[in-house]
Amino acid sequence: MSHATPETDLQLTPLNALHLELGARMVPFAGYSMPVQYEGLLAEHKQTRESASLFDVSHMGQIRISGPDAGLALESLMPMDVIGLGVDRQRYGLLLNDQGGIIDDLMFVNRGTHYFLIVNGACKAGDLQHMQERIGTRCTITPMPEQGLLALQGPQAVVALERLVPGVQELVFMTGAAFQWEGVELYITRSGYTGEDGFEISVPGDRTEALARALLAQPEVKPAGLGARNSLRLEAGLGLYGNDLDTSTTPTEAVLGWSIQKVRRTGGERAGGFPGADVVLGQIDGTLPVTRKRIGLISNGRTPVREPATLVNSAGEQIGVITSGLPSPTLGQPIAMGYIQPDYLSNGQEIFAQVRKQAVPVQLADMPFVAHNYKRAK
């Protein structure tokens, strides 16, 4: 699945031929040739919000971590409760460096016999090296480049997938299970990156196209590209690694403290013991300063506010930066995500985004900008 083309040196996913057949506009992304749009960003965004869209996310890294010490080994790299995670339960995780900065954000599932990780495509080589160096002697770390990955997202995703894979409707948000489709082994989680209900499906690479065609044959489903994926995730208030999160950003600065369970915090049964623990726990406990915080912004004007615009106060002094921004298809006005000095979170002072030498007024806004529509347990 990951062979490079001589013309571009870009790797191809198992759906490359299908993307071209469907008329996708292809762009380089994370070292791959990926579809940015088919019909158009706005149509694909609306399709996902109202029905169901199929996204190719096979560029993401899939990794298996196994062995009797796998849970504790993973906990030594992340501030998450790994060994307390139930079988077929999924959790959001953060790989950290020794300064508490975020190397990558990821999803991990306890599959009983092993842990299954999905990491960002642009980070997967570095993640694997980091894991091998830090915990490679304690567990078996197996990359899974032979697997494809599909994301079926939207309120009608469950209707479409249930026809092909009976039983998926029993899953709830952040759970997974093994299924079969036409003799093919699948692992499906009810999760995604759009804020909508939906599923991510790990499928053998040589059967990815067949499954994608079967899903696209369902009346609820159309293909969608990276453009809509980006606008959907921003409306959902979800950070993009490389834009909104990076190795200089701590979990507290990124307002991701919710992902660090009580058992790993100060006073918890397994507190600390992960890279950058002194910094991360010090910021959570208030003993170390936090000089910036991730925030949502909305503009009442029509001027798009995009990265890497700076944020300034009424005196023109820089107080922050935009890390993601675009006109919201759902709200019909510009939205953005960025970082700002904590003093400006509650002092009521005016904030402006510096766009082409123009100071555009923006307001702090709660995230998500558009409410999540996950299928949660009752």
Side-chain angles (χ1 to χ4, degrees), residues 314-333:
S314 56
E317 300 166 328
Q318 182 171 347
I319 57 172
V321 63
I322 299 293
T323 53
S324 290
L326 47 72
S328 165
T330 301
L331 302 179
Q333 58 191 139

Side-chain angles (χ1 to χ4, degrees), residues 94-110:
L94 299 169
L95 284 177
L96 302 181
N97 61 27
D98 292 330
Q99 294 73 45
I102 300 170
I103 294 173
D104 198 7
D105 65 337
L106 56 91
M107 303 293 279
F108 65 100
V109 183
N110 178 2

Side-chain angles (χ1 to χ4, degrees), residues 31-261:
Y32 284 79
S33 179
M34 296 290 291
V36 67
Q37 65 180 42
Y38 301 83
E39 184 180 354
L41 186 153
L42 293 178
E44 292 163 29
H45 185 107
K46 183 178 180 182
Q47 170 73 17
T48 313
R49 288 275 184 246
E50 296 179 355
S51 188
S53 295
L54 183 67
F55 298 83
D56 180 9
V57 289
S58 298
H59 65 294
M60 304 285 277
Q62 301 181 63
I63 302 169
R64 180 189 299 112
I65 298 186
S66 55
D69 197 31
L72 283 172
L74 260 183
E75 280 202 357
S76 74
L77 297 184
M78 303 192 297
M80 283 71 224
D81 178 6
V82 177
I83 65 174
L85 186 63
V87 175
D88 285 327
R89 302 284 173 171
Q90 186 176 47
R91 185 161 280 165
Y92 178 74
L94 299 169
L95 284 177
L96 302 181
N97 61 27
D98 292 330
Q99 294 73 45
I102 300 170
I103 294 173
D104 198 7
D105 65 337
L106 56 91
M107 303 293 279
F108 65 100
V109 183
N110 178 2
R111 290 202 56 184
T113 58
H114 63 274
Y115 291 92
F116 172 51
L117 280 61
I118 298 178
V119 303
N120 282 297
C123 301
K124 60 186 176 184
D127 291 353
L128 278 166
Q129 182 179 349
H130 176 74
M131 288 186 234
Q132 290 287 6
E133 290 174 353
R134 297 290 182 111
I135 62 172
T137 60
R138 299 176 60 184
C139 55
T140 301
I141 302 166
T142 309
M144 302 165 65
E146 73 284 355
Q147 291 290 111
L149 191 66
L150 301 176
L152 184 67
Q153 300 284 295
Q156 296 300 308
V158 63
V159 176
L161 189 55
E162 179 71 17
R163 286 196 201 100
L164 299 180
V165 188
V168 293
Q169 65 182 359
E170 301 303 320
L171 295 176
V172 294
F173 184 55
M174 298 295 272
T175 67
F179 293 90
Q180 281 205 347
W181 170 76
E182 295 189 351
V184 180
E185 294 287 338
L186 309 175
Y187 193 79
I188 302 176
T189 60
R190 198 159 191 170
S191 60
Y193 191 50
T194 64
E196 292 293 335
D197 185 21
F199 304 86
E200 292 196 343
I201 308 164
S202 180
V203 52
D206 61 357
R207 297 305 304 275
T208 305
E209 182 178 331
L211 179 57
R213 288 184 183 276
L215 288 166
L216 290 171
Q218 306 307 306
E220 299 85 1
V221 183
K222 291 184 178 181
L226 294 173
R229 191 167 183 257
N230 185 52
S231 57
L232 289 158
R233 71 89 191 167
L234 183 53
E235 287 187 347
L238 303 175
L240 173 64
Y241 193 86
N243 279 48
D244 312 299
L245 312 171
D246 59 29
T247 54
S248 70
T249 311
T250 68
T252 306
E253 291 171 338
V255 195
L256 295 173
W258 58 266
S259 68
I260 302 175
Q261 287 74 37

Side-chain angles (χ1 to χ4, degrees), residues 289-326:
V290 179
T291 59
R292 59 177 184 156
K293 282 286 187 80
R294 184 168 63 97
I295 42 93
L297 296 162
I298 196 163
S299 170
N300 292 325
R302 308 303 300 177
T303 303
V305 178
R306 304 182 189 275
E307 69 281 359
T310 56
L311 295 172
V312 299
N313 60 19
S314 56
E317 300 166 328
Q318 182 171 347
I319 57 172
V321 63
I322 299 293
T323 53
S324 290
L326 47 72

Side-chain angles (χ1 to χ4, degrees), residues 308-367:
T310 56
L311 295 172
V312 299
N313 60 19
S314 56
E317 300 166 328
Q318 182 171 347
I319 57 172
V321 63
I322 299 293
T323 53
S324 290
L326 47 72
S328 165
T330 301
L331 302 179
Q333 58 191 139
I335 59 172
M337 188 184 297
Y339 285 82
I340 201 168
Q341 296 173 14
D343 290 348
Y344 287 85
L345 293 174
S346 58
N347 65 9
Q349 292 191 47
E350 289 184 310
I351 302 170
F352 302 87
Q354 200 72 38
V355 181
R356 295 187 300 275
K357 298 183 179 181
Q358 177 186 359
V360 177
V362 291
Q363 298 174 340
L364 294 174
D366 292 334
M367 293 188 288

